[in-house]
Amino acid sequence: MADPVKAAELHLEPGESVLASVRGRYVTELKRLPGAILATDRRVIVYGSRLVGHKLTTFTYSQLDTISTSKGPLGRKVVLTAGGAALTVDRIKGEVADLHRVVNSQT
């Protein structure tokens, strides 16, 4: 299966730069997909790989209400909320501090 960060980068706009990213498992209502969160200089991209296709959600920084992070026995978790909806990526290996810092500095 392709690296979800590399796959998400295919959806960048011309001139858009990734400032921070994490890999994990994109939690949807029905499934858990290999996924990633990318914070760019323009927006946040949440990407999930499916067997056929992908799930892609983007938010401009002005649309985001909160970003929260936590750590559990299976890795870290990031929850983004915007307009009453929450998106979760869990089982993140490694640090999420850079992502959290970038999103907070942009909002």
Side-chain angles (χ1 to χ4, degrees):
M1 187 165 291
D3 176 0
V5 170
K6 297 283 186 209
E9 287 175 344
L10 297 174
H11 300 278
L12 295 176
E13 297 171 354
E16 189 173 17
S17 300
V18 176
L19 304 176
S21 64
V22 296
R23 290 168 184 78
R25 189 176 68 163
Y26 185 7
V27 180
T28 69
E29 294 171 0
L30 302 174
K31 296 185 178 199
R32 274 102 173 108
L33 308 169
I37 301 174
L38 283 69
T40 76
D41 55 341
R42 301 177 191 173
R43 60 192 172 142
V44 174
I45 300 169
V46 183
Y47 179 90
S49 299
R50 295 182 175 164
L51 287 175
V52 177
H54 60 271
K55 181 169 178 60
L56 181 76
T57 305
T58 65
F59 298 105
T60 61
Y61 289 105
S62 63
Q63 293 174 308
L64 284 176
D65 296 323
T66 62
I67 178 173
S68 62
T69 60
S70 61
K71 183 179 177 185
L74 298 176
R76 288 173 168 73
K77 176 168 72 171
V78 174
V79 179
L80 299 165
T81 58
L87 294 176
T88 302
V89 174
D90 66 5
R91 294 196 179 181
I92 298 167
K93 306 298 181 205
E95 289 298 320
V96 296
D98 285 344
L99 178 77
H100 197 268
R101 180 184 46 76
V102 167
V103 171
N104 278 335
S105 71
Q106 298 288 330
T107 54

XYZ file of all heavy atoms in Angstrom:
806
model
N 0.852 -1.180 0.000
C 0.000 0.000 0.000
C 0.894 1.238 0.000
O 1.921 1.287 0.659
C -0.918 -0.014 1.222
C -1.940 1.090 1.178
S -3.287 0.878 2.355
C -4.118 -0.510 1.632
N 0.502 2.266 -0.720
C 1.287 3.491 -0.855
C 1.330 4.263 0.460
O 0.421 4.185 1.278
C 0.673 4.358 -1.948
N 2.393 5.006 0.635
C 2.548 5.867 1.794
C 1.442 6.929 1.754
O 1.322 7.669 0.777
C 3.929 6.522 1.738
C 4.180 7.509 2.849
O 3.305 7.723 3.704
O 5.286 8.085 2.857
N 0.618 7.034 2.813
C -0.491 7.987 2.769
C -0.051 9.450 2.678
O -0.754 10.268 2.091
C -1.282 7.706 4.045
C -0.422 6.868 4.895
C 0.592 6.222 4.024
N 1.105 9.785 3.230
C 1.582 11.170 3.109
C 1.920 11.468 1.656
O 1.514 12.505 1.114
C 2.790 11.435 4.034
C 3.416 12.785 3.727
C 2.365 11.367 5.496
N 2.634 10.561 1.011
C 2.983 10.758 -0.405
C 1.722 10.817 -1.267
O 1.623 11.632 -2.186
C 3.890 9.639 -0.900
C 5.221 9.585 -0.202
C 6.128 10.646 -0.717
C 7.511 10.470 -0.110
N 8.219 11.718 0.013
N 0.742 9.965 -0.970
C -0.510 9.971 -1.723
C -1.264 11.282 -1.518
O -1.815 11.846 -2.465
C -1.377 8.784 -1.315
N -1.279 11.790 -0.290
C -1.965 13.054 -0.017
C -1.273 14.225 -0.708
O -1.932 15.178 -1.145
C -2.040 13.292 1.489
N 0.046 14.151 -0.819
C 0.794 15.229 -1.474
C 0.399 15.399 -2.941
O 0.581 16.470 -3.509
C 2.294 14.994 -1.346
C 2.804 15.239 0.056
C 4.277 14.895 0.234
O 4.851 14.191 -0.634
O 4.842 15.315 1.256
N -0.173 14.363 -3.547
C -0.636 14.473 -4.930
C -1.791 15.463 -5.057
O -2.121 15.897 -6.155
C -1.063 13.102 -5.459
C 0.036 12.048 -5.541
C -0.560 10.703 -5.936
C 1.128 12.467 -6.513
N -2.428 15.812 -3.936
C -3.572 16.709 -3.945
C -3.216 18.140 -3.544
O -4.105 18.957 -3.330
C -4.662 16.158 -3.016
C -5.137 14.808 -3.440
N -6.082 14.625 -4.427
C -4.756 13.568 -3.058
C -6.276 13.338 -4.612
N -5.484 12.670 -3.796
N -1.933 18.438 -3.466
C -1.512 19.802 -3.165
C -1.786 20.711 -4.357
O -1.715 20.289 -5.511
C -0.017 19.839 -2.833
C 0.423 19.109 -1.576
C 1.944 19.156 -1.448
C -0.243 19.691 -0.343
N -2.075 21.951 -4.058
C -2.264 22.948 -5.101
C -0.891 23.436 -5.568
O 0.098 23.309 -4.840
C -3.085 24.115 -4.546
C -4.487 23.708 -4.127
C -5.234 24.808 -3.384
O -4.635 25.866 -3.087
O -6.410 24.600 -3.099
N -0.809 23.994 -6.763
C 0.488 24.509 -7.230
C 1.062 25.520 -6.229
O 0.355 26.421 -5.762
C 0.144 25.188 -8.561
C -1.086 24.477 -9.035
C -1.854 24.147 -7.782
N 2.320 25.335 -5.869
C 2.990 26.240 -4.946
C 2.724 25.994 -3.473
O 3.311 26.646 -2.618
N 1.846 25.041 -3.153
C 1.513 24.743 -1.759
C 2.631 23.915 -1.128
O 3.141 22.985 -1.746
C 0.187 23.983 -1.705
C -0.380 23.799 -0.327
C -1.782 23.197 -0.347
O -2.187 22.634 -1.391
O -2.465 23.308 0.671
N 2.999 24.235 0.112
C 4.095 23.545 0.799
C 3.606 22.850 2.059
O 2.826 23.420 2.819
C 5.178 24.546 1.208
O 5.697 25.204 0.091
N 4.085 21.628 2.302
C 3.769 20.896 3.520
C 4.699 21.385 4.627
O 5.919 21.377 4.480
C 3.931 19.377 3.314
C 3.684 18.634 4.619
C 2.989 18.884 2.225
N 4.096 21.818 5.751
C 4.860 22.304 6.889
C 5.047 21.236 7.954
O 6.036 21.252 8.686
C 4.173 23.535 7.492
C 3.921 24.693 6.514
C 3.146 25.798 7.208
C 5.221 25.209 5.944
N 4.091 20.311 8.072
C 4.165 19.209 9.036
C 3.205 18.119 8.596
O 2.187 18.401 7.958
C 3.812 19.697 10.439
N 3.532 16.872 8.957
C 2.639 15.759 8.618
C 2.807 14.636 9.622
O 3.850 14.528 10.274
C 2.915 15.248 7.207
O 4.224 14.714 7.121
N 1.752 13.823 9.742
C 1.794 12.609 10.565
C 1.088 11.494 9.802
O 0.191 11.739 9.006
C 1.132 12.797 11.955
C 1.890 13.818 12.786
C -0.333 13.174 11.839
N 1.515 10.258 10.065
C 0.880 9.070 9.490
C 0.179 8.320 10.602
O 0.686 8.249 11.713
C 1.932 8.143 8.895
C 2.583 8.632 7.677
C 3.810 7.762 7.341
N 4.521 8.269 6.191
C 5.340 9.304 6.207
N 5.565 9.952 7.334
N 5.944 9.713 5.111
N -0.963 7.745 10.274
C -1.685 6.966 11.265
C -2.844 6.238 10.627
O -2.757 5.793 9.479
N -3.939 6.191 11.349
C -5.146 5.493 10.894
C -6.300 6.487 10.945
O -6.658 6.984 12.010
C -5.395 4.307 11.827
C -6.463 3.389 11.376
C -6.559 2.215 12.307
N -7.062 2.663 13.612
C -7.553 1.879 14.540
N -7.593 0.585 14.348
N -7.985 2.358 15.676
N -6.854 6.810 9.776
C -7.977 7.743 9.652
C -9.237 7.005 10.090
O -9.620 6.015 9.483
C -8.060 8.211 8.209
C -9.097 9.271 7.884
C -9.860 9.910 8.849
C -9.283 9.647 6.567
C -10.782 10.880 8.518
C -10.204 10.621 6.213
C -10.948 11.229 7.196
O -11.865 12.194 6.857
N -9.858 7.488 11.146
C -11.038 6.837 11.710
C -12.284 7.436 11.067
O -12.553 8.627 11.211
C -11.084 7.013 13.249
C -12.311 6.334 13.824
C -9.808 6.474 13.883
N -13.055 6.610 10.336
C -14.320 7.046 9.756
C -15.453 6.336 10.494
O -15.209 5.516 11.365
C -14.393 6.717 8.248
O -14.482 5.312 8.076
C -13.190 7.266 7.501
N -16.678 6.643 10.126
C -17.826 6.019 10.784
C -17.842 4.506 10.605
O -18.254 3.778 11.490
C -19.126 6.611 10.246
C -19.304 8.074 10.583
C -20.485 8.685 9.863
O -21.176 7.990 9.101
O -20.707 9.890 10.067
N -17.381 4.046 9.456
C -17.467 2.621 9.146
C -16.140 1.882 9.180
O -16.117 0.673 9.388
C -18.097 2.432 7.762
C -19.494 3.023 7.587
C -19.940 2.900 6.142
C -20.489 2.362 8.521
N -15.046 2.579 8.928
C -13.758 1.901 8.771
C -12.636 2.708 9.390
O -12.791 3.875 9.708
C -13.437 1.697 7.290
C -14.385 0.787 6.571
C -13.925 0.546 5.162
C -14.903 -0.413 4.508
N -14.385 -1.045 3.354
N -11.516 2.040 9.505
C -10.271 2.684 9.862
C -9.340 2.509 8.673
O -9.052 1.386 8.264
C -9.655 2.049 11.109
C -10.175 2.645 12.389
C -11.213 1.732 13.016
N -11.600 2.208 14.339
C -12.761 2.762 14.615
N -13.640 2.947 13.653
N -13.052 3.145 15.823
N -8.897 3.616 8.095
C -8.117 3.593 6.869
C -6.685 4.036 7.142
O -6.463 4.921 7.964
C -8.725 4.565 5.849
C -10.220 4.435 5.556
C -10.700 5.629 4.750
C -10.484 3.144 4.812
N -5.708 3.460 6.451
C -4.366 4.026 6.549
C -4.457 5.492 6.136
O -5.054 5.806 5.098
C -3.549 3.215 5.539
C -4.343 1.960 5.325
C -5.778 2.341 5.521
N -3.917 6.371 6.956
C -4.137 7.776 6.651
C -3.039 8.695 7.122
O -2.017 8.271 7.657
N -3.289 9.980 6.913
C -2.322 11.007 7.257
C -3.028 12.344 7.439
O -4.128 12.555 6.925
C -1.277 11.128 6.158
N -2.369 13.221 8.191
C -2.771 14.622 8.275
C -1.586 15.442 7.798
O -0.459 15.231 8.253
C -3.131 15.047 9.712
C -4.267 14.203 10.270
C -3.502 16.537 9.740
C -4.574 14.491 11.737
N -1.837 16.363 6.882
C -0.811 17.286 6.400
C -1.243 18.701 6.738
O -2.383 19.089 6.457
C -0.632 17.183 4.886
C 0.151 16.003 4.337
C -0.584 14.702 4.525
C 0.456 16.228 2.879
N -0.350 19.450 7.339
C -0.573 20.881 7.562
C 0.288 21.608 6.534
O 1.511 21.437 6.512
C -0.176 21.272 8.976
N -0.353 22.374 5.678
C 0.375 23.092 4.639
C 0.383 24.579 4.983
O -0.154 25.002 6.000
C -0.266 22.882 3.248
O -1.453 23.674 3.140
C -0.571 21.414 2.980
N 0.958 25.348 4.106
C 0.953 26.797 4.310
C -0.418 27.408 4.014
O -0.620 28.597 4.271
C 2.033 27.455 3.445
C 1.918 27.129 1.970
O 1.251 26.131 1.614
O 2.505 27.863 1.166
N -1.388 26.599 3.562
C -2.718 27.113 3.214
C -3.876 26.427 3.939
O -4.928 27.021 4.121
C -2.965 26.955 1.715
C -1.952 27.662 0.868
C -2.197 27.428 -0.587
N -1.046 27.901 -1.348
C -0.904 27.721 -2.630
N -1.829 27.082 -3.333
N 0.163 28.172 -3.249
N -3.700 25.142 4.298
C -4.831 24.372 4.807
C -4.353 23.102 5.515
O -3.160 22.789 5.513
C -5.763 23.993 3.664
C -5.059 23.150 2.600
C -5.859 23.017 1.332
N -5.054 22.373 0.290
C -5.513 21.510 -0.568
N -6.784 21.165 -0.553
N -4.738 20.989 -1.489
N -5.309 22.369 6.073
C -5.053 21.052 6.658
C -5.731 20.016 5.770
O -6.895 20.173 5.397
C -5.597 20.961 8.096
C -5.456 19.556 8.652
C -4.893 21.964 9.000
N -4.992 18.960 5.441
C -5.501 17.880 4.604
C -5.543 16.611 5.447
O -4.537 16.237 6.052
C -4.595 17.659 3.375
C -4.515 18.929 2.528
C -5.080 16.466 2.555
C -3.452 18.886 1.444
N -6.704 15.956 5.478
C -6.839 14.655 6.141
C -7.119 13.647 5.034
O -8.073 13.796 4.274
C -7.970 14.667 7.193
C -8.029 13.330 7.915
C -7.786 15.809 8.186
N -6.257 12.632 4.954
C -6.290 11.690 3.834
C -6.402 10.265 4.353
O -5.725 9.900 5.316
C -5.006 11.838 3.010
C -4.916 10.892 1.841
C -5.412 11.247 0.603
C -4.336 9.642 1.985
C -5.343 10.374 -0.476
C -4.257 8.757 0.917
C -4.768 9.134 -0.308
O -4.694 8.267 -1.362
N -7.246 9.470 3.719
C -7.361 8.049 4.037
C -7.328 7.219 2.772
O -8.022 7.529 1.803
N -6.492 6.169 2.765
C -6.373 5.268 1.605
C -7.429 4.179 1.691
O -7.555 3.517 2.716
C -4.996 4.600 1.588
O -3.978 5.535 1.492
N -8.156 3.978 0.617
C -9.112 2.872 0.511
C -8.555 1.848 -0.467
O -7.619 2.140 -1.208
C -10.448 3.383 -0.008
C -11.136 4.328 0.941
C -12.473 4.742 0.368
N -13.186 5.566 1.330
C -14.208 6.319 1.028
N -14.657 6.366 -0.208
N -14.806 7.030 1.951
N -9.152 0.659 -0.485
C -8.723 -0.331 -1.471
C -8.897 0.210 -2.876
O -8.071 0.000 -3.752
C -9.505 -1.633 -1.303
C -9.126 -2.464 -0.086
C -10.050 -3.673 0.035
C -7.683 -2.908 -0.157
N -10.005 0.906 -3.091
C -10.254 1.565 -4.369
C -10.512 3.038 -4.065
O -11.514 3.385 -3.448
C -11.466 0.942 -5.099
C -11.751 1.690 -6.385
C -11.238 -0.533 -5.353
N -9.587 3.890 -4.433
C -9.759 5.318 -4.221
C -9.238 5.780 -2.873
O -8.393 5.139 -2.261
N -9.790 6.906 -2.410
C -9.341 7.506 -1.169
C -10.433 8.397 -0.582
O -11.412 8.704 -1.253
C -8.078 8.342 -1.414
C -8.296 9.461 -2.390
N -8.125 9.291 -3.743
C -8.701 10.739 -2.225
C -8.401 10.429 -4.361
N -8.763 11.321 -3.468
N -10.256 8.785 0.660
C -11.134 9.756 1.316
C -10.261 10.957 1.631
O -9.215 10.829 2.262
C -11.723 9.171 2.588
C -12.656 10.122 3.314
C -13.419 9.405 4.406
C -14.320 10.333 5.191
N -15.334 11.011 4.418
N -10.674 12.122 1.183
C -9.892 13.340 1.347
C -10.789 14.437 1.903
O -11.855 14.705 1.350
C -9.314 13.772 -0.002
C -8.442 15.010 -0.005
C -7.074 14.677 0.567
C -8.291 15.535 -1.427
N -10.361 15.025 3.003
C -11.081 16.147 3.596
C -10.085 17.265 3.825
O -8.977 17.016 4.311
C -11.726 15.741 4.941
O -12.546 14.593 4.727
C -12.578 16.860 5.498
N -10.453 18.483 3.460
C -9.560 19.618 3.673
C -10.285 20.717 4.425
O -11.510 20.871 4.306
C -9.020 20.179 2.348
O -10.094 20.724 1.592
C -8.311 19.110 1.539
N -9.511 21.457 5.197
C -10.022 22.616 5.929
C -9.035 23.761 5.760
O -7.819 23.545 5.884
C -10.116 22.343 7.438
C -11.056 21.246 7.816
C -10.569 20.013 8.211
C -12.425 21.438 7.797
C -11.421 18.991 8.583
C -13.287 20.424 8.157
C -12.781 19.202 8.548
N -9.545 24.937 5.509
C -8.681 26.099 5.636
C -8.495 26.338 7.132
O -9.301 25.876 7.953
C -9.309 27.350 4.988
O -10.536 27.650 5.645
C -9.548 27.136 3.499
N -7.462 27.034 7.497
C -7.210 27.256 8.921
C -8.334 28.055 9.575
O -8.647 27.832 10.747
C -5.857 27.936 9.124
C -4.715 26.987 8.836
C -3.979 27.087 7.663
C -4.394 25.975 9.727
C -2.949 26.202 7.392
C -3.366 25.086 9.460
C -2.649 25.206 8.303
O -1.639 24.322 8.046
N -8.973 28.927 8.825
C -10.068 29.710 9.400
C -11.295 28.851 9.712
O -12.127 29.220 10.537
C -10.458 30.860 8.468
O -10.939 30.359 7.235
N -11.427 27.696 9.086
C -12.548 26.790 9.347
C -12.346 25.939 10.595
O -13.310 25.437 11.160
C -12.764 25.849 8.150
C -13.241 26.537 6.900
C -13.289 25.586 5.725
O -12.303 24.905 5.431
N -14.426 25.537 5.057
N -11.106 25.732 11.016
C -10.819 24.862 12.154
C -11.211 25.524 13.469
O -10.922 26.691 13.695
C -9.336 24.504 12.203
C -8.863 23.464 11.210
C -7.360 23.292 11.323
C -9.557 22.147 11.433
N -11.865 24.739 14.317
C -12.199 25.209 15.662
C -11.112 24.798 16.654
O -10.638 25.627 17.422
C -13.551 24.651 16.114
C -14.696 25.145 15.248
O -14.655 26.315 14.816
O -15.609 24.346 14.975
N -10.733 23.520 16.660
C -9.732 23.044 17.606
C -8.908 21.910 17.005
O -9.336 21.231 16.071
C -10.365 22.489 18.908
O -11.196 21.367 18.583
C -11.182 23.531 19.636
N -7.742 21.723 17.598
C -6.925 20.533 17.376
C -6.560 20.024 18.761
O -6.147 20.800 19.625
C -5.662 20.810 16.536
C -4.820 19.520 16.395
C -4.845 21.959 17.088
C -3.636 19.627 15.451
N -6.790 18.737 18.979
C -6.412 18.153 20.266
C -5.587 16.900 20.009
O -5.763 16.217 19.002
C -7.637 17.835 21.115
O -8.454 16.888 20.472
N -4.680 16.635 20.926
C -3.816 15.466 20.806
C -3.830 14.697 22.114
O -4.035 15.262 23.180
C -2.364 15.874 20.474
O -1.859 16.707 21.512
C -2.290 16.614 19.158
N -3.624 13.392 22.001
C -3.512 12.553 23.186
C -2.599 11.379 22.863
O -2.288 11.111 21.705
C -4.882 12.061 23.650
O -5.497 11.292 22.639
N -2.171 10.696 23.920
C -1.293 9.542 23.750
C -1.891 8.359 24.476
O -2.336 8.478 25.622
C 0.093 9.854 24.311
C 1.078 8.738 24.123
C 2.438 9.111 24.662
C 3.381 7.928 24.511
N 4.680 8.198 25.130
N -1.935 7.219 23.781
C -2.450 5.996 24.370
C -1.489 4.854 24.141
O -0.408 5.048 23.573
N -1.872 3.645 24.530
C -0.974 2.498 24.395
C -0.671 2.103 22.949
O 0.348 1.473 22.677
C -1.711 1.378 25.126
C -3.136 1.800 25.169
C -3.132 3.295 25.173
N -1.525 2.502 22.005
C -1.314 2.142 20.601
C -0.781 3.295 19.763
O -0.758 3.216 18.533
C -2.609 1.601 19.994
C -3.152 0.328 20.642
C -4.483 -0.059 20.035
C -2.155 -0.812 20.514
N -0.393 4.381 20.408
C 0.139 5.527 19.685
C -0.598 6.797 20.032
O -1.438 6.836 20.935
N -0.284 7.828 19.308
C -0.904 9.128 19.543
C -2.162 9.276 18.694
O -2.346 8.587 17.705
C 0.095 10.225 19.230
C 1.189 10.297 20.266
C 2.278 11.265 19.871
N 3.170 11.527 20.971
C 4.075 10.679 21.440
N 4.201 9.481 20.905
N 4.871 11.013 22.440
N -2.992 10.263 19.116
C -4.245 10.535 18.401
C -4.371 12.036 18.224
O -4.052 12.803 19.129
C -5.426 9.989 19.201
C -6.774 10.311 18.582
C -7.904 9.528 19.203
C -8.266 9.972 20.583
N -9.507 9.352 21.087
N -4.845 12.444 17.050
C -5.135 13.846 16.752
C -6.601 13.933 16.365
O -7.081 13.162 15.535
C -4.259 14.386 15.599
C -4.687 15.792 15.205
C -2.788 14.362 15.977
N -7.309 14.889 16.980
C -8.706 15.147 16.642
C -8.802 16.596 16.187
O -8.404 17.516 16.915
C -9.644 14.895 17.841
C -11.083 15.198 17.445
C -9.509 13.468 18.342
N -9.323 16.790 14.993
C -9.575 18.120 14.439
C -11.075 18.365 14.455
O -11.839 17.492 14.033
C -9.072 18.221 13.006
C -7.580 17.995 12.774
C -7.313 17.768 11.292
C -6.796 19.180 13.287
N -11.507 19.522 14.919
C -12.929 19.857 14.874
C -13.122 21.127 14.049
O -12.333 22.064 14.130
C -13.529 20.058 16.281
O -12.819 21.094 16.946
C -13.463 18.784 17.093
N -14.184 21.097 13.269
C -14.525 22.233 12.412
C -16.026 22.201 12.167
O -16.558 21.185 11.719
C -13.775 22.155 11.095
N -16.695 23.268 12.502
C -18.121 23.361 12.236
C -18.942 22.261 12.872
O -19.910 21.795 12.288
N -18.537 21.778 14.030
C -19.277 20.730 14.717
C -18.897 19.320 14.323
O -19.302 18.362 14.961
N -18.107 19.163 13.265
C -17.651 17.838 12.847
C -16.268 17.583 13.423
O -15.471 18.500 13.585
C -17.595 17.755 11.326
N -15.994 16.319 13.733
C -14.680 15.939 14.253
C -14.070 14.867 13.366
O -14.751 13.929 12.953
C -14.813 15.424 15.684
N -12.802 15.027 13.046
C -12.048 14.037 12.281
C -10.912 13.539 13.150
O -10.233 14.325 13.804
C -11.472 14.645 11.007
C -12.483 15.090 9.966
C -11.771 15.757 8.803
C -13.265 13.906 9.457
N -10.700 12.219 13.143
C -9.697 11.610 14.003
C -8.708 10.787 13.201
O -9.098 10.027 12.315
C -10.386 10.687 15.043
O -11.312 11.459 15.802
C -9.376 10.042 15.967
N -7.445 10.944 13.528
C -6.393 10.055 13.057
C -5.718 9.519 14.309
O -5.266 10.289 15.153
C -5.380 10.758 12.129
C -4.222 9.841 11.784
C -6.072 11.225 10.857
N -5.708 8.196 14.459
C -5.104 7.587 15.641
C -3.974 6.651 15.233
O -3.594 6.596 14.066
C -6.155 6.891 16.511
C -6.801 5.679 15.865
O -6.398 5.272 14.750
O -7.733 5.118 16.470
N -3.426 5.961 16.206
C -2.293 5.045 16.010
C -1.130 5.716 15.289
O -0.484 5.139 14.416
C -2.719 3.779 15.299
C -3.659 2.951 16.150
C -3.784 1.562 15.651
N -4.673 0.801 16.517
C -4.952 -0.458 16.338
N -4.430 -1.124 15.340
N -5.760 -1.071 17.174
N -0.888 6.961 15.658
C 0.217 7.720 15.091
C 1.484 7.337 15.836
O 1.539 7.416 17.066
C -0.042 9.244 15.227
C -1.298 9.631 14.438
C 1.179 10.027 14.752
C -1.807 11.025 14.745
N 2.475 6.913 15.106
C 3.784 6.606 15.678
C 4.630 7.869 15.577
O 4.647 8.520 14.549
C 4.468 5.457 14.944
C 3.620 4.205 14.856
C 3.307 3.651 16.227
C 2.486 2.380 16.110
N 1.678 2.112 17.264
N 5.315 8.215 16.606
C 6.146 9.416 16.579
C 5.414 10.609 17.155
O 4.315 10.504 17.699
N 6.043 11.744 17.030
C 5.547 12.970 17.643
C 4.495 13.675 16.791
O 4.503 13.572 15.570
C 6.711 13.931 17.894
C 7.629 13.496 19.003
C 6.917 13.416 20.346
O 6.088 14.283 20.649
O 7.195 12.472 21.096
N 3.620 14.379 17.463
C 2.613 15.208 16.792
C 2.812 16.687 17.127
O 2.031 17.526 16.695
C 1.181 14.755 17.162
C 0.914 13.347 16.678
C 0.928 14.873 18.646
N 3.870 16.986 17.874
C 4.096 18.363 18.340
C 4.247 19.348 17.194
O 3.703 20.457 17.251
C 5.312 18.414 19.259
N 4.975 18.979 16.130
C 5.146 19.892 14.997
C 3.816 20.194 14.326
O 3.528 21.349 13.995
C 6.122 19.319 13.967
C 7.568 19.409 14.406
O 7.866 20.167 15.358
O 8.404 18.710 13.812
N 3.000 19.163 14.114
C 1.682 19.366 13.513
C 0.845 20.292 14.386
O 0.242 21.243 13.897
C 0.973 18.031 13.318
C -0.444 18.132 12.739
C -0.383 18.398 11.248
C -1.228 16.877 13.019
N 0.810 20.022 15.683
C 0.030 20.832 16.610
C 0.500 22.281 16.598
O -0.307 23.223 16.536
C 0.147 20.230 18.025
C -0.895 20.711 18.969
N -0.704 21.801 19.771
C -2.142 20.248 19.240
C -1.775 21.980 20.512
N -2.664 21.057 20.202
N 1.809 22.489 16.610
C 2.365 23.837 16.598
C 2.008 24.591 15.320
O 1.589 25.747 15.352
C 3.885 23.766 16.755
C 4.577 25.117 16.758
C 6.093 24.994 16.809
N 6.655 24.018 15.887
C 6.791 24.214 14.567
N 6.351 25.318 14.008
N 7.315 23.272 13.811
N 2.135 23.913 14.173
C 1.840 24.560 12.881
C 0.364 24.946 12.814
O 0.026 26.077 12.436
C 2.223 23.648 11.689
C 1.633 24.168 10.387
C 3.726 23.518 11.599
N -0.528 24.025 13.168
C -1.965 24.322 13.101
C -2.318 25.472 14.050
O -3.024 26.401 13.648
C -2.800 23.070 13.402
C -4.275 23.416 13.549
C -2.608 22.026 12.310
N -1.792 25.447 15.256
C -2.087 26.535 16.195
C -1.537 27.869 15.728
O -2.162 28.908 15.944
C -1.565 26.202 17.592
C -2.507 25.305 18.348
O -3.700 25.270 18.084
N -1.971 24.563 19.295
N -0.394 27.861 15.082
C 0.194 29.130 14.628
C -0.550 29.714 13.426
O -0.492 30.908 13.183
C 1.671 28.944 14.273
O 1.825 28.199 13.089
N -1.272 28.864 12.697
C -2.002 29.310 11.508
C -3.428 29.753 11.793
O -4.051 30.414 10.986
C -2.022 28.202 10.452
C -0.663 27.796 9.941
C -0.036 28.825 9.060
O -0.704 29.587 8.364
N 1.284 28.896 9.078
N -3.976 29.306 12.947
C -5.377 29.639 13.251
C -5.496 30.923 14.021
O -4.585 31.450 14.564
C -6.054 28.520 14.051
O -5.300 28.225 15.220
C -6.214 27.276 13.208
